[in-house]
Amino acid sequence: MSSLQGLSKSLVIIASLFIVLAGLKLATDIIVPFILAAFIAIICNPLLRFFARYKVPKGIAILLIMLMIVAVGSSLAGLVGQSLNDFSQQLPQYREDLQARFVWLVDTAAQYNILIDKQQLIALFDPGKMIDMATNMLTGFGAAMANIFLIILTVVFMLFEAPMINKKVHLALDDPEMRQKQIDKFLESINSYLAIKTLVSLATGFCAALLLWILDVDYFVLWGVVAFLLNYIPNIGSIIAAVPAVLIALITQGPLVSGFVALGYVAINTVMGNVIEPRYMGKGLGLSTLVVFLSLIFWGWLFGTVGMLLSVPLTMVVKIALENSEEGQWLATMLGSGEETESKLS
């Protein structure tokens, strides 16, 4: 009897989960601007603290922060929008040039008795699609930012409410004494992660754009912004960002410059990802590498480009919720990193 009750309870939970996910999928147009607003508010919170240290009134500080965001965002959107339009017009020509390069590569390989079917190679490995992947992500992010007025207004209210959020969360809990440290640790981890990740991503985008400008690669500002945004995507974001720049360099500058671009991207991402980021971020947020990759796929399916960019923070929200539930602690452990598991066992 107890086993039947447990089975029925599990089925109810699974059915409820599917209903919730379906609702979130249908409400993407409403939820995505809210997620973006929360993301921007968390990034802006250190600036708000900076102004508070110098006794600047909160209203004036928030106004200054919003003016900075609008000024930087407008100028960047103008530059990137123009580059994206020009690139879209040139894309058919770039596709033809890339296919010609692939045909030349196949013909060269044939001279050394390496026989490859040209049509099959192009069908399986269409270089134009690889460029489309990065530009579509950028276009998707731009579409999500279309509700800029709603996002900015939400950010303003969030910044005004920021000091009260911790108190409200603690009062809302059944047992604030036990969970207060977990909630504080979680909020601090998310704030720290997003702040450090944003600075590292800015540095990555700037270095990539500078490298491409030095090598005279077309649309270097566009690829710098792509490198900045995709650096938020763990594991594969930096690889996706490098592909269009390398291919454009191959078309316009030749194999030598393309090789230098590839080496430059490898050097930038190695330094940023393996030296600078771990130094300031420490051990990270306690998620396994597999979970990070799967969360990228899941949140990307649910919320599109914005979900992919914020896959790690969103997964951390789920993990902390599971840790605070007796029935979900086992799943939180599965989401955790190997270091976290070893520390608990020891």
Side-chain angles (χ1 to χ4, degrees):
M1 189 68 179
S2 59
S3 60
L4 287 174
Q5 288 178 346
L7 180 60
S8 61
K9 186 177 180 181
S10 299
L11 290 174
V12 168
I13 292 172
I14 293 171
S16 302
L17 182 61
F18 273 103
I19 292 169
V20 170
L21 290 177
L24 290 174
K25 186 73 174 174
L26 289 172
T28 298
D29 293 339
I30 300 172
I31 295 172
V32 166
F34 177 79
I35 293 173
L36 272 174
F39 167 72
I40 295 170
I42 291 171
I43 292 176
C44 292
N45 201 42
L47 278 175
L48 195 62
R49 291 178 183 173
F50 172 79
F51 284 122
R53 248 181 284 161
Y54 291 93
K55 309 298 182 183
V56 178
K58 183 183 286 188
I60 296 175
I62 292 175
L63 179 62
L64 290 172
I65 292 170
M66 290 301 104
L67 289 174
M68 287 168 56
I69 291 174
V70 171
V72 173
S74 300
S75 57
L76 196 60
L79 283 171
V80 174
Q82 184 62 43
S83 297
L84 195 58
N85 288 333
D86 293 343
F87 176 75
S88 298
Q89 293 176 0
Q90 295 290 330
L91 190 56
Q93 184 61 46
Y94 285 146
R95 283 178 179 275
E96 291 181 11
D97 293 342
L98 276 172
Q99 288 188 356
R101 293 277 183 181
F102 270 67
V103 170
W104 172 83
L105 181 64
V106 171
D107 292 338
T108 304
Q111 295 176 5
Y112 296 93
N113 295 322
I114 303 173
L115 302 178
I116 305 172
D117 190 333
K118 297 177 185 178
Q119 298 302 323
Q120 187 177 6
L121 180 66
I122 292 172
L124 292 175
F125 187 69
D126 184 359
K129 290 181 180 178
M130 301 180 73
I131 296 178
D132 286 343
M133 187 184 296
T135 52
N136 286 342
M137 284 185 175
L138 191 62
T139 305
F141 183 76
M145 291 295 291
N147 297 320
I148 188 66
F149 178 74
L150 175 63
I151 292 171
I152 289 177
L153 197 62
T154 309
V155 169
V156 170
F157 286 119
M158 283 181 173
L159 289 176
F160 272 112
E161 287 284 325
M164 295 298 296
I165 289 176
N166 283 359
K167 295 177 182 177
K168 287 181 178 180
V169 170
H170 293 153
L171 289 173
L173 294 172
D174 294 332
D175 191 0
E177 295 275 336
M178 184 178 68
R179 299 181 185 175
Q180 182 172 347
K181 290 183 180 180
Q182 287 180 313
I183 295 297
D184 289 341
K185 184 180 178 182
F186 164 67
L187 293 174
E188 185 181 347
S189 297
I190 292 297
N191 275 278
S192 175
Y193 170 79
L194 287 179
I196 294 169
K197 194 68 177 178
T198 299
L199 292 174
V200 172
S201 298
L202 279 170
T204 301
F206 175 78
C207 291
L210 181 63
L211 170 71
L212 298 175
W213 175 71
I214 292 171
L215 295 175
D216 197 25
V217 178
D218 292 346
Y219 309 112
F220 63 91
V221 174
L222 177 63
W223 307 131
V225 173
V226 168
F228 160 68
L229 289 175
L230 296 189
N231 197 60
Y232 283 101
I233 300 177
N235 302 328
I236 64 170
S238 56
I239 299 172
I240 297 173
V243 168
V246 171
L247 292 178
I248 294 300
L250 176 65
I251 296 168
T252 58
Q253 304 286 353
L256 183 62
V257 174
S258 179
F260 280 126
V261 171
L263 289 174
Y265 266 84
V266 169
I268 291 168
N269 288 300
T270 299
V271 172
M272 294 296 175
N274 298 329
V275 179
I276 294 177
E277 193 172 296
R279 180 179 178 183
Y280 293 99
M281 201 174 288
K283 294 180 180 179
L285 296 178
L287 293 175
S288 72
T289 306
L290 176 61
V291 168
V292 168
F293 180 72
L294 293 177
S295 69
L296 170 67
I297 297 172
F298 173 75
W299 294 113
W301 165 76
L302 193 61
F303 294 137
T305 303
V306 174
M308 295 179 75
L309 295 176
L310 300 180
S311 58
V312 170
L314 290 171
T315 305
M316 280 303 301
V317 171
V318 174
K319 184 171 181 283
I320 195 69
L322 292 170
E323 286 176 345
N324 288 327
S325 168
E326 291 183 6
E327 296 176 350
Q329 284 182 357
W330 67 272
L331 188 53
T333 303
M334 295 296 293
L335 294 175
S337 63
E339 295 177 3
E340 198 177 53
T341 305
E342 287 177 4
S343 64
K344 288 181 179 180
L345 290 173
S346 58

